[in-house]
Amino acid sequence: MQNKFSFFILTLLISAAAVSCATTSVSSKTDSAAAGSKNTIPAATIKMYDNCPQETRALKIETALMATIEGYRGMTEATFTQMPSKKNIGDVTEYIAACTSIKKALEDGKSAPCTLSFATTADGEGQILDFSSEEKIIQTLSMMITAGIQQVYARYTF
C-alpha cells in the first residue's frame, strides 16, 4: 500500500511539474496576444482556493503541489485582460488538476468516492460553478467576470 501511494505521489509530482511548465508557456503567450486583441476587458482577477480538508493524505498532496508548482500555496490567481478562451485558461485548469489530486487522495484515504465541486463561498452555500469541461470553464469564467465574482472554492463531499 505504501509503495502504491509513493508511486502515486511521484506520478503526481511529475505531472504537476509538466503542467506548471505548460501553464507558464500558455500564460506568456496569452499576455502578448491580449495586448493586441480587440477582445480586451478591464483586468479581472479570480482567486481560486483548493479548500484542502485537514486530512493527512489530502494535506500531503497539497504539500507536494506546493513543492512542485511555483508560488502555489493552496490558492491560485487567474488574471484576465481578455475574455476567457482556450488560450488563457491555463491557470484555471491547473487549479482544477490540483483539486482533483486532493480529491483522489481523499478517496484513497477513506476508500469511498468523493465528489469535487466548485462554489463562490468556502462553505458551499454560494453559487455552484461548472468546471466540468473546457467549454463550461470558459462559460463559467465569462459569467464570473461579467458578474464581478472574484472567488472560487473547491468542495469535497462524500
Side-chain angles (χ1 to χ4, degrees):
M1 181 68 165
Q2 181 65 22
N3 286 340
K4 286 182 181 180
F5 186 73
S6 296
F7 178 75
F8 174 75
I9 293 293
L10 180 60
T11 303
L12 173 69
L13 293 173
I14 292 168
S15 298
V19 168
S20 180
C21 291
T23 300
T24 301
S25 174
V26 168
S27 295
S28 60
K29 289 178 186 173
T30 300
D31 292 341
S32 61
S37 174
K38 293 181 182 180
N39 195 20
T40 59
I41 58 172
T45 299
I46 298 174
K47 293 183 178 183
M48 301 168 289
Y49 299 90
D50 69 18
N51 211 15
C52 186
Q54 299 300 304
E55 194 275 335
T56 303
R57 285 182 185 252
L59 292 171
K60 284 182 181 179
I61 293 297
E62 185 181 48
T63 301
L65 292 167
M66 289 178 188
T68 58
I69 301 172
E70 185 178 339
Y72 187 81
R73 295 292 173 257
M75 188 272 293
T76 301
E77 285 188 0
T79 300
F80 295 91
T81 55
Q82 64 181 15
M83 288 306 284
S85 69
K86 291 180 181 184
K87 295 179 182 178
N88 65 354
I89 61 170
D91 291 337
V92 179
T93 57
E94 182 178 278
Y95 161 73
I96 294 167
C99 294
T100 301
S101 297
I102 292 169
K103 170 194 174 272
K104 288 178 182 177
L106 288 167
E107 288 177 331
D108 289 346
K110 295 192 184 268
S111 298
C114 177
T115 301
L116 171 62
S117 60
F118 301 92
T120 57
T121 59
D123 62 8
E125 296 298 319
Q127 184 173 352
I128 301 300
L129 304 170
D130 187 353
F131 290 151
S132 61
S133 69
E134 194 172 70
E135 291 83 24
K136 293 291 185 183
I137 292 169
I138 293 167
Q139 289 173 359
T140 299
L141 291 171
S142 296
M143 177 279 301
M144 291 175 68
I145 291 168
T146 302
I149 298 170
Q150 299 177 333
Q151 296 179 337
V152 175
Y153 295 88
R155 292 189 56 210
Y156 310 90
T157 53
F158 288 92

